[in-house]
Amino acid sequence: MNDSTATEKQKKHFWNKRPKKELTVDDITIVDKDMLKRAVGAAALGNAMEWFDFGVYSYLAVTIGKVFFPGGSPAAQLLAAFGAFAAAFLVRPLGGLVFGPLGDRIGRQKVLAITMIMMSIGTFCIGIIPDYESIGIMAPVLLLVARMVQGFSTGGEYGGAATFIAEYSTDKRRGFMGSWLEFGTLAGYLIGAGLVTGMTAAMSTEQLLSWGWRVPFFIAAPLGLFGLYIRLKLEETPAFQKHMEKQEQLEHSKPRLGVLQMLSKYRAQMLKCIGLVLLFNVSNYMLTSYMPSYLTGILGLSELSGLMLVLVVMFVMMPLTLFWGHWNDRLGRRPVIALGAVGIILLAIPCLMLIGSGNLGLVFVGLMILGVLHTCFSGTMPSALPALFATDIRYSALAIGFNLSVSLFGGTTPLITTWLVDTTNNLMMPAYYLMGAAVIGLITVYFTRETANKPLHGSAPAVGTRAEAHKLINKLKLRRQKEKDAAKAAE
């Protein structure tokens, strides 16, 4: 993963390039604050919609297992429900292959509107599928189809949303602005999980099994329409607009790279993306998707107790995600991610011992520690990942790398961990799985270049005001003068 290749030298940061002419204010992107807020809100809303579904599905996994797979044991039902959950991740790379290049060709905003429509349709359809007793084997088949529609659309969602926010943000606050994307994730999950928790408390088991479980999925339709309206009101990102202007000015535009060519040319960056996403999503899905069912199905806690514990942890994680979003702009992306990875390596086993104790207070402490460590990733990754790639291939590369890693390692976490615990009867398997992901993530961080407070690859510096632009120009002039003076002194 050495970045000192000839190819990398040709792609040096705008910040480090020596321009042939003096940099002017017109060369610097001045971000419209109102448009930035709308862009962040629209991107975060789409992510909230996606994770509303994840929260609902994870918290209803036991119920869904009974509705669609009634013939098996409780463990087999849970395994089958998570199997349908994981199946959606198999098609996410296909969604990335379709929507990523499309986003680099026709624009980020248009593709994000398309993915919003598909996500809401897929989620709504789950709510109208008849149960196993009504149509037999077709019930789980239709569930699988609906989940795959969701997975396909999600393949273009996160990469596009992260790219959208990163390209709209100023260089100094890209970390903080990006952290709102994961704030939306937690908010959506919290709303979905909270809704299920309230229904579990208010309804009898019979009501929940007969019709109650469908209600959260029906809510996807109005949420999707609202999100679509917001996204259609947005303009394209400044970075993409400037990129397209440059392409139009060129008489002979360079041919676009094919997927295999891109994977080969940018393999170092793709490997880094996969490694970082592996760390990010294994800890994410372990906490948000697996733990609710682990607490109830494996440890035997009451459903309401298990659901409430994870909900409180999610609530505390929301401001902590913004906290790390702010501080990774100051401390750097690499130190914050490394802190979370080291914390998991050292504390995963103690946390699972606390969770496995069965004492509600100790279970909460174990979950809370894992949640706090995860916010090191959720507050940092939305800004760290887009910075790995240049503007012309950013959406494509991020969508493919992100979804490939999520499909292989993240979304399968509940399924694999459930299988490992069921096969080995070792309740510490989740801790070992987390530690393995943290080791891989830590190695990846070591080989990743710091990008905090720097322009994105292939983009001009981005600031909030003209005064900041003039200040940046003066700073660059001073730097060049110092370089000239140092060169003369060396002669």
Side-chain angles (χ1 to χ4, degrees), residues 356-434:
S357 68
N359 180 286
L360 287 182
L362 296 179
V363 171
F364 176 74
V365 172
L367 291 173
M368 194 70 254
I369 293 172
L370 291 178
V372 170
L373 292 172
H374 177 72
T375 58
C376 293
F377 315 135
S378 62
T380 308
M381 293 295 183
S383 55
L385 295 174
L388 291 171
F389 306 105
T391 305
D392 58 337
I393 54 100
R394 182 170 295 124
Y395 199 152
S396 302
L398 182 52
I400 293 169
F402 185 92
N403 290 296
L404 186 63
S405 186
V406 170
S407 299
L408 293 175
F409 310 109
T412 56
T413 294
L415 179 64
I416 293 175
T417 312
T418 299
W419 177 79
L420 287 172
V421 171
D422 191 49
T423 302
T424 64
N425 291 318
N426 187 344
L427 298 183
M428 299 306 295
M429 278 299 172
Y432 303 147
Y433 201 75
L434 278 172

Side-chain angles (χ1 to χ4, degrees), residues 161-236:
T163 295
F164 201 74
I165 292 179
E167 291 182 349
Y168 252 113
S169 300
T170 61
D171 298 333
K172 287 186 177 180
R173 303 198 73 199
R174 185 166 290 117
F176 177 68
M177 290 301 171
S179 66
W180 282 98
L181 184 62
E182 287 302 316
F183 185 90
T185 292
L186 292 168
Y189 187 96
L190 197 63
I191 293 170
L195 179 60
V196 174
T197 301
M199 290 171 55
T200 303
M203 292 182 178
S204 66
T205 303
E206 291 73 21
Q207 289 176 319
L208 199 62
L209 283 171
S210 63
W211 60 269
W213 67 271
R214 300 179 186 275
V215 174
F217 294 104
F218 290 149
I219 296 175
L223 280 178
L225 289 174
F226 178 69
L228 178 63
Y229 172 78
I230 296 295
R231 287 188 172 181
L232 288 175
K233 291 291 183 180
L234 292 173
E235 295 179 8
E236 192 51 78

Side-chain angles (χ1 to χ4, degrees), residues 14 23-31 108 167 236-250 391-392 458-463:
F14 187 100
L23 193 69
T24 66
V25 174
D26 291 336
D27 298 318
I28 297 174
T29 300
I30 300 175
V31 177
R108 288 70 163 112
E167 291 182 349
E236 192 51 78
T237 68
F240 186 77
Q241 286 182 22
K242 289 192 174 184
H243 168 68
M244 293 305 293
E245 288 171 5
K246 289 179 182 177
Q247 291 293 101
E248 291 174 2
Q249 291 171 2
L250 295 174
T391 305
D392 58 337
S459 299
V463 297

